[in-house]
Structures are given as C-alpha cells and as structure tokens.
Amino acid sequence: MSHYISITEAERAEMLAAIGVGAVADLFADVPAEVRFPELKLPPALSEIELRRELGAMANQNANPGSHSMFLGAGAYNHFVPSAVDQILRRSEFYTAYTPYQPEISQGTLQAIFEYQSLICALTGMDVANASHYDGATALAEAAIMAVNSTRNRRTILVPPSVNPQYRAVLRTYLQGTGIRVRGDENPAATLAEVLAQADSSTAAVLVQSPDFFGTLHDLKPLAEQAHAAGALLVAHFDPIALGLFQSPGEVGADIATAEGQPLGIGLNYGGPYLGIFACSDKYVRKLPGRLAGATLDVDGAVAYVLTLQAREQHIRRESATSNICTNQGLMALAAAVYLSLLGRQGLRRVAELCYHRAHYAAAAIGALPGYSVEDRGPFFKEFVVRCPQPVAEINAALREHGIVGGYDLARDYPAMPHAMLLCVTEMTSKAEIDALVAGLAAVS
C-alpha cells in the first residue's frame, strides 16, 4: 500500500464493482478515444535530491531580497521578519485553524484575535479594531462602504490621486452597482486641498493616505476638521511602521483607519497573503465589517473570549449584509500580533527611525547626482520620487545587472510623470546598498 494513496488494489476493485464498472478506464468512456489518454512527454523521473536541486535552480532565477538589494515598495515592503514570528505561526494549532463558527470552543484562536485587536487599537489610537480584512485595498474599500452606511443620504466618496492607484482600482471594483460615486482623482495632479474643497452634503467620506503613495506625510488633523465640517467622515489609510514616529489616526480625529498590515512581520511572499487592518471609533462599531472578538467572564468568573457584534447576515443573508467579509486573515493577524509584541513601543520606533534616516540619506545622495532630482513634495517617511534622465524601465534593467531591484515606474499609473521613479528604503537597506544604488544610477545617467 502506498503511504499517500490509502486504498489497496482489492479495495479499488471492490469500489468499481459497487458502481458497476469493470475498470478505472471505463469511467472515461464518454471522452473521445483520440484525446482520452494522450501520451505525456515527460522527462525521466528525478530523485528527491535531484528535484530539490532543479527547483532550487529555478527559484534562483527570481530576484528576491535575499539575492538582490531591494528598493521597490509601492505597497509591499521589505521589512525584517523576526524568526519567532514564523516559528509561532507554524505551530499546528495556529497553522491549521480556520475562522471558528462555534467560536466559544476555540478559546485559543479567539484570544489570539483579541490580542491582535488590542495591539492595533494601541498602535492607532482608535477605539476598536476588527480581525481582519484580506489586504489594505479591501480594507479601504470596506471603509468606504461603512462610511456610506454610517451617514444619512450621502453616497459620494472623495479620494485624492495620491492614494495608491491599485487601491483606488479595487475601490471602484468593490463599489460597482452600489450607486456610490467615487470622485476626486479625475485630475492626477489634484492636491489634497483641492479634493477636500469638493466635500458637500452628498459626501459620505474623504479617503486620505499618509504617507501617501508617493511617500509624503500629511498633517491629517486639519483635513479631519474640514471633512467633519462638511458632515463627512475621514478615513485615514496609514503605514503601521510610520506610527512608530508620526501622528496616529486616533490623534487626528479619524473616524475609520485602515492599513496594509504586511510590514508587521509578514514577508513579501510574492504578493500575499497579506493583512487588511481596520479600526474605527466607538460611534461606528455597530457598522464594523468582519469579525470582532471580545473578552468577558464565564459562569465561574474566569476570563472567556467570544465573537461579538457580528451580524448573522454576513453568513446567511448576503443580500441584507452591509459586508460579506466573513473570514478573517487569522494567521496573518497573529503574525502582526507576534511582531508587535516582540518589538514593543521602543522597537517599533527604532524601526521607523532607521527607515526615515536611511531614506533621507539615499534621497540626499541621489539628489546630488547629475541628471537626477528628488521631488520636494513635503516631508517623507521611507519612499520618495526621483526624476530620472532616462526611462525608468531602462534604468531598472541596468540596475538588475548589478543585483539591484530599482524603484516603481510611476508612468505606469501617472502618465504625466514620465521618467519618474518611486524609491523605497527600509531598515533592511544598508548604507553599502544605498551607495551601490547611487553608483549604479550614476553609471546609467
């Protein structure tokens, strides 16, 4: 008997006899004979050792943070992931756990969710956080829907062009057929002030990102005041690492806060799975999508964890639901909780400081190169825009020859920004790597 196929030949024959079939091939009788059993021109079988070697050689063709210096950000970031994060995630009770539908018997899972929510509230200064959404883009889209559901007769969402263009695309996909209008980014050059000026009695929310897609930091407090003056909510999309240094959504009076949680102990992973962080003020908690774990006392007075404030419509009456997010990214939420617990307040601040100072060192060095200029868009955190003397695609191709993954080509989303590159520097980027990038840029100018 095979270790992987749990039936014997005798058992297989018994099963075929039970359904009145003489052989497995008879199950495919309706498939035309000429295509029924095609000859598979496969190479000879490999041993496990040979296969590992072959797959390793194929994997090494990919540029990754272990083989290349990485300056690409634009929504997914090369941050350090402590070994303890993966060690805890790989424990079987976490690794195989799914969202509990009979939650009270899953106390460990619920406690992990509760701890994650508590940490996110401490990080953001918001009253309540859920657990969780699929990624930052879906969290932002759910925030727009929640804002509409939380305001009366307001069905317009304002979003500036400085919000991640991929997030804006997901937002519009999410809102198809809902009658909710998305405005503000029609002019790619529109400023935050110009977008806020459009707020009126039809505006449910203003969605802002800080640091924005270009890496620029914004003072959100006056923006919140302006949105509230128009009767709209402010949705603040943030970088969780940046909160180690800069103002939190709670401090500025944001009503809803969202983020991509990938920087919090989640590797790049070829694009996922990631984590959508979602938090809000108490006033809107009953409109909160997704799952919310709470702590209470059982009949014996011991601490017990429960799922609370979740509408059954999310599971059984989709047409009546305000959100159809049912599954939380529990494993990724746990990764973020472990990461935040390991680093603590001072550790997160130190990571943010390293990102900030190394990014500014890189910007100063690149700005001094002939033919290159760093755009002055205001204060920035770990990303900044560089105007280049040649097409970004050509520069990035030359950099790859030196083991460097360059920045994001902004012309892909902003046609009025040709030869503009969005560069990212994190705590994982050494001074030597920055100096090599500067030398590489100088060589192709």
Side-chain angles (χ1 to χ4, degrees), residues 201-266:
S201 59
S202 70
T203 306
V206 180
L207 276 55
V208 295
Q209 181 177 356
S210 180
D212 64 20
F213 184 66
F214 304 107
T216 307
L217 292 157
H218 301 279
D219 183 2
L220 299 186
K221 192 173 183 61
L223 302 183
E225 293 171 351
Q226 191 172 348
H228 293 158
L233 306 186
L234 181 77
V235 178
H237 191 85
F238 61 92
D239 180 329
I241 299 295
L243 297 191
L245 278 179
F246 304 107
Q247 61 183 192
S248 69
E251 290 174 320
V252 304
D255 302 286
I256 304 171
T258 63
E260 172 54 68
Q262 179 269 327
L264 301 179
I266 301 171

Side-chain angles (χ1 to χ4, degrees), residues 133 137-147 171 174 256 258 278 289-290 322-325:
H133 291 287
T138 53
L140 191 64
E142 286 283 344
I145 295 173
M146 179 175 165
L171 175 67
Y174 241 74
I256 304 171
T258 63
F278 195 108
T322 57
S323 169
N324 293 131
I325 293 288

Side-chain angles (χ1 to χ4, degrees), residues 224-365:
E225 293 171 351
Q226 191 172 348
H228 293 158
L233 306 186
L234 181 77
V235 178
H237 191 85
F238 61 92
D239 180 329
I241 299 295
L243 297 191
L245 278 179
F246 304 107
Q247 61 183 192
S248 69
E251 290 174 320
V252 304
D255 302 286
I256 304 171
T258 63
E260 172 54 68
Q262 179 269 327
L264 301 179
I266 301 171
L268 289 168
N269 300 339
Y270 292 94
Y274 285 168
L275 171 67
I277 296 174
F278 195 108
C280 69
S281 62
D282 272 335
K283 182 179 180 180
Y284 305 105
V285 66
R286 292 191 176 275
K287 299 292 185 181
L288 186 72
R291 291 182 171 269
L292 182 63
T296 185
L297 299 178
D298 65 15
V299 294
D300 298 319
V303 175
Y305 299 93
V306 296
L307 283 184
T308 184
L309 289 177
Q310 170 143 326
R312 294 175 71 242
E313 283 77 11
Q314 286 190 210
H315 299 294
I316 63 175
R317 295 178 60 199
R318 291 176 63 86
E319 71 280 1
S320 302
T322 57
S323 169
N324 293 131
I325 293 288
C326 300
T327 302
N328 67 292
Q329 292 287 78
L331 199 66
M332 300 300 101
L334 177 62
V338 175
Y339 179 87
L340 289 170
S341 300
L342 286 170
L343 267 68
R345 185 188 301 270
Q346 295 304 318
L348 190 66
R349 179 182 179 88
R350 180 57 177 155
V351 172
E353 288 173 342
L354 288 170
C355 292
Y356 180 88
H357 290 299
R358 292 181 183 184
H360 282 73
Y361 170 79

